[in-house]
Every structure is written in structure tokens, then in C-alpha cells.
Amino acid sequence: MKVLVIGSGAREHALCRSLSLDPDVTALYCAPGNAGIAEVAELHQVDALDGKAVAALAGELEADLVVVGPEAPLVAGVADAVRDAGIPVFGPSREAALLEGSKAFAKDVMAAAGVPTARSYVCTTPEEVAVALDAFGAPYVVKDDGLAAGKGVVVTEDAEAATAHAAACERVVIEEFLDGPEVSLFAITDGVSVVPLQPAQDFKRALDGDEGPNTGGMGAYSPLPWADPKLVEDVLRTVLQPTVDEMRRRGTPFSGLLYAGLAITSRGVRVIEFNARFGDPETQVVLARLKTPLAGVLLAAANGTLGDLEPLRWSDDAAVTVVVASHNYPGTPRTGDPITGLDDVAEQDAPHAYVLHAGTRREGGETVSAGGRVLSVTAVGEDLAKARERAYRALTRIGLDGSQHRTDIAARAADA
């Protein structure tokens, strides 16, 4: 099978790494990719938001499967263009991707499907915002209705900050604050059958102790030793399958990766948000634990044959990933700084620990930073404590001027 992956982040590097280890994959391409992905896939230049260009590249490469990584190309309809060209594609249509592209649309689908979620108001005027903030009180939860690269949500005790965030967005969803730990649960679906993956937890805040501003994610771990053993089964029954069924009922079937961001509240599981693609950095730890070869599963979702697959096989090992971010992230990041120590990790920490590239490029013979989140240092071990120890040991070998990372990823869960 020849596979083309679209995207350039650590999520795509994790996908490419898993696909490169799949014996059924005879050729692996990525567009546009990054410096790390170049080690496992052949890179091609393409405008990831241009469906016709992506479909043309897939045709040129005679790809048997296209995997669309990021949300923006999905919301732009790239999967539709590839499908229209007769090439199997893993990723929802433009209409189905609205589950991530519009928080208000997602709320409407959840209401129709009977999926438990936070009470909310959709607001477009300052007056509506004031009423909604007043109705729920602090802490205030204000979400940009559209795509915002993981930075569109503000949770604050400060009414002024909440109002200011709402004013900066065309349309916002203001909702009640959900107490309890958060869980990310991915499911692969062909629009009918739904196959959940193993749950993970990510760390959104920039600083240790969940302090600082929201980010796209600073680390993650899997499995969740503290979670109810029936969690996945319950979420499949109450959230994932009803949502997929409702999307099909509307005539916009959802096939690809449905990601449920969940809060385990005192009143039960509630959906915080849906995404229409693999999450970053949770993909790094979930795929590290998947033993079933990946390509066949993604192709079955693209072809509508997911129900014919054997159950997925998982490693009992734990996985931890720690994000190394640029100076000033999540503000305007500094880029172009040389990265050292990558070869040392490969020599001294493999196969238990490895580095997935997020924002990197090759420049003058060296690898340099090219984004806010630069690397995901990922490790596996027999338990979270061992995986954590290996990830942080590998991280000490890496040099990036001004970089930052959290030191407490999975610490509480490892000690439990």
C-alpha cells in the first residue's frame, strides 16, 4: 500500500512513524512534512489547504490511501477533493468536519443525539455575551466558535478577560464550567461502525501545576490508571456511536477520526468538545501503544469496511510524551534556533524513547526550530513511572536555546 500523509506536525510524524513500521506500507509520502518526518517518509511540497493540489499529488504518487492530519484542510474540504478523485481518504468531508469547525454546530448535533455536554449559549453581540457570563458565573468558559489551533478557549475567573476574549471573536460559545479531570478519547469510524482507541490525558496549560496560558498541548500520557475500567465502553455507548448515528441521519456521515474531549464530572461524563482528527500530543502516546498495524485500520475506515476488522491489539506498556516548545510560546514563538542532541537520543535511548518533530526544518545542514511546539519527546515503559523517567532522560540530551517544557507531565498519575 502506498500512503500519503498530509500535514507537518508531531501528530503527522507519529502517524508516519507508525505507518513506516507497517509491513503492508510499501511507499510512504508526506506533504509538506518536516525535518523529522523526512527520515521515515519521502517529502513533497503541497498547499495542504488546496484540495485539488492534494488530489493531484495523490494521483501522481499513485497513493492507495491519503491521510489528512490537521483540522484546517478537513474544514477546507480537502478530503472531499481526494474522494472525488476516486482515491480512498482517511478524514471527514467538509460538512462532517464542522463538528470541529463550529462549536455551535457540535452543540446542535449533541442535543439531537442526546449526548451529555455542558449547558451553553451561542453569542454574537456584547449584550448576549454579558447575559451568558452572568447566567453561568465564574469560572467563565468562552470558546471561539471557529478553528483556533487549540488556543480559542479561555477559562478564567476574570469577567473582563472573558469579555475581552469574546469581543475578539465573531461568534462565541459560552458554557458552564465542567469540574473533574479531562480525558481525550479517539475513535476511528467509517460512518457506521465505531472503533474506540485507548484513552489519554493531555496537559493544556503552558506551565507546571496547570498554570499559565492555554496551549495546543504540552504533553500527554496513556493509559489512565485512575479511570473507570468501563470508561471507553460507556463513552462509545453514550457519546461516540450516537454522534456518528446522528451525523449519518443528517445525510453528512462522519468517517475518519472522531475525537471526544471529555470531562469526568461529579454528575458523570460530559463532552467538552469534538475534534475531527487525531489530537496532538495525545496521538503520540496512543499510537505508541497500538500493536495492530495502522494502515489497514485507516483504509478500512476510508472504504467503509471497519466492521470486518479484528479487534485492535494494544501493548500493556505505558507511554508519555513531553513537548519542547520555543521561547515565548504560546505567544509569537522565536524560530530558526538550532536543535542539538537528536542523534544522541537515537543512539542512547532508542527504542524505548524517541523524538517526534512538530515545528522543525532543515537549514544549512542542521535542524532548526520552525514553530511554537518544536518536538515531542516520547517514551514507553512497563508503567507510567518508567515511561516518564525515559522521556525526561531523553529530553536532557536535547539543546534548543530559550526552549521550555513542563516537568510534571504524568507525574501525579505515575505516583498514584
Side-chain angles (χ1 to χ4, degrees):
M1 194 192 308
K2 295 180 179 178
V3 184
L4 168 62
V5 176
I6 302 301
S8 61
R11 160 188 46 225
E12 287 76 34
H13 193 175
L15 286 163
C16 285
R17 179 181 181 274
S18 289
L19 289 165
S20 74
L21 298 172
D22 186 332
D24 286 339
V25 176
T26 53
L28 181 59
Y29 310 104
C30 187
N34 63 38
I37 295 173
E39 293 173 20
V40 293
E42 183 181 298
L43 300 193
H44 290 265
Q45 280 308 307
V46 78
D47 177 353
L49 298 176
D50 184 338
K52 282 184 179 168
V54 172
L57 176 62
E60 230 172 85
L61 297 171
E62 299 179 338
D64 300 299
L65 174 67
V66 175
V67 180
V68 183
E71 60 274 23
L74 292 168
V75 172
V78 166
D80 303 83
V82 176
R83 238 178 239 114
D84 290 347
I87 301 165
V89 59
F90 182 81
S93 66
R94 182 204 302 260
E95 285 181 300
L98 262 184
L99 265 183
E100 177 167 6
S102 168
K103 306 279 191 303
F105 175 78
K107 288 286 187 186
D108 186 59
V109 170
M110 283 188 263
V115 169
T117 186
R119 292 177 300 125
S120 63
Y121 293 97
V122 180
C123 307
T124 54
T125 68
E127 293 75 24
E128 289 171 349
V129 167
V131 168
L133 293 175
D134 192 44
F136 290 130
Y140 304 103
V141 182
V142 185
K143 299 180 174 182
D144 190 336
D145 180 55
L147 293 182
K151 300 177 208 162
V153 180
V154 164
V155 180
T156 178
E157 298 278 346
D158 184 341
E160 278 185 28
T163 304
H165 182 62
C169 308
E170 278 184 39
R171 181 159 81 150
V172 291
V173 173
I174 293 174
E175 60 185 40
E176 67 176 325
F177 177 75
L178 297 173
D179 64 321
E182 293 185 13
V183 173
S184 299
L185 184 62
F186 302 163
I188 290 172
T189 177
D190 58 7
V192 178
S193 299
V194 181
V195 177
L197 305 186
Q198 289 289 305
Q201 186 172 60
D202 78 332
F203 294 75
K204 288 276 195 297
R205 299 284 187 169
L207 307 175
D208 284 4
D210 291 328
E211 299 287 331
N214 254 351
T215 71
M218 295 298 290
Y221 69 93
S222 179
L224 312 180
W226 49 267
D228 185 328
K230 289 186 173 173
L231 175 67
V232 174
E233 191 185 312
D234 289 347
V235 174
L236 175 61
R237 181 175 46 83
T238 61
V239 174
L240 298 168
Q241 192 71 58
T243 300
V244 169
D245 291 346
E246 172 62 18
M247 291 296 285
R248 191 173 67 254
R249 190 190 67 74
R250 291 174 177 228
T252 52
F254 187 104
S255 83
L257 194 292
L258 179 60
Y259 162 140
L262 308 165
I264 314 299
T265 77
S266 51
R267 293 172 295 145
V269 174
R270 297 286 183 273
V271 176
I272 301 167
E273 65 175 357
F274 284 128
N275 289 338
R277 39 72 198 180
F278 281 101
D280 185 341
E282 301 97 320
T283 304
Q284 288 86 302
V285 291
V286 173
L287 292 187
R289 300 185 57 225
L290 179 66
K291 289 173 81 171
T292 302
L294 183 61
V297 181
L298 302 186
L299 186 63
N303 285 340
T305 57
L306 203 55
D308 300 338
L309 284 191
E310 296 286 310
L312 298 181
R313 291 179 295 110
W314 296 92
S315 164
D316 291 331
D317 282 354
V320 171
T321 193
V322 183
V323 170
V324 177
S326 294
H327 175 73
N328 200 41
Y329 178 76
T332 304
R334 192 173 81 204
T335 60
D337 288 311
I339 301 164
T340 60
L342 296 172
D343 291 342
D344 295 341
V345 174
E347 284 165 20
Q348 298 181 57
D349 300 285
H352 301 300
Y354 49 89
V355 180
L356 297 168
H357 292 229
T360 66
R361 66 172 186 268
R362 293 290 290 174
E363 196 174 90
E366 59 184 1
T367 302
V368 302
S369 61
R373 292 186 294 172
V374 182
L375 305 168
S376 288
V377 183
T378 307
V380 293
E382 61 266 26
D383 54 29
L384 283 173
K386 190 66 181 174
R388 217 178 154 264
E389 178 197 316
R390 285 171 169 167
Y392 278 105
R393 184 168 61 227
L395 194 147
T396 61
R397 306 190 204 285
I398 293 168
L400 174 60
D401 188 40
S403 68
Q404 52 177 318
H405 65 270
R406 282 183 58 160
T407 65
D408 62 348
I409 302 301
R412 198 183 303 164
D415 292 341

